[in-house]
Amino acid sequence: MPVQKVRVRLKINGQDKELEIPSNLTLLELLRDELGLTGTKEGCGIGECGACTVLLNGRPVYACLVLAPKIDGREIITIEGIGQEGKLHPLQEAFLNHGAVQCGFCTPGMIMAAKALLDENPQPSKEEIEEAISGNLCRCTGYLQVVKAIKASGSGKKGEV
Ligand code: FES
Ligand code: FES
């Protein structure tokens, strides 16, 4: 049976879009395969690694677990939507400066989870940071440098992108 198509409107990284998509598409497939936003990574594909974390109306979600038709009328921010042309976001700078990136596969998801935290709580404790990234797995750097980087980039500027 052919897959039904549905029309969705969304704001992605500040741009309004109207798309016709298969009703069974995940948000992760929409981002990577339809929109070419490959900064969001696919690790497990089943909600266990956090590599696909993006912000949905400001909250971190696993894009592999969200059906794309459900995002109609919502706002998505991916790793491509933070920072500016030629200027890294403070979190990206801090990850580099604190040696919090090795292979980098987990990094976009970690940064989006961290951004959600800092937008709500610009000066989190170590425990709050650990809690915020507890759904993001890293197989090579470990977590110490990541926690230090997030702590260092807490700027107190709510909503900065
Ligand atoms: S790819 Fe989505 S949680 Fe692992
Ligand atoms: S830096 Fe390699 S998985 Fe985290």
Side-chain angles (χ1 to χ4, degrees), residues 4-114:
Q4 200 186 347
K5 294 238 177 180
V6 292
R7 189 166 284 277
V8 292
R9 285 185 194 167
L10 67 149
K11 183 175 272 194
I12 179 139
N13 295 336
Q15 287 192 325
D16 291 316
K17 290 205 181 286
E18 188 166 344
L19 305 164
E20 195 169 276
I21 57 171
S23 58
N24 61 355
L25 203 67
T26 67
L27 175 56
L28 182 58
E29 291 167 330
L30 173 66
L31 294 171
R32 290 183 56 86
D33 303 338
E34 305 283 322
L35 299 175
L37 295 171
T38 54
T40 302
K41 302 304 180 201
E42 178 169 8
C44 64
I46 53 171
E48 290 187 350
C49 73
C52 65
T53 304
V54 298
L55 301 189
L56 174 60
N57 282 2
R59 307 299 308 163
V61 295
Y62 292 157
C64 68
L65 295 186
V66 177
L67 266 182
K70 296 278 184 198
I71 59 171
D72 188 37
R74 314 276 190 93
E75 176 169 15
I76 307 290
I77 299 179
T78 70
I79 191 72
E80 290 91 349
I82 69 171
Q84 292 148 9
E85 193 69 34
K87 186 171 185 290
L88 294 176
H89 184 277
L91 270 165
Q92 293 171 309
E93 288 272 11
F95 269 59
L96 287 177
N97 294 339
H98 287 79
V101 179
Q102 286 192 44
C103 80
F105 195 82
C106 69
T107 308
M110 285 277 189
I111 286 182
M112 297 317 290

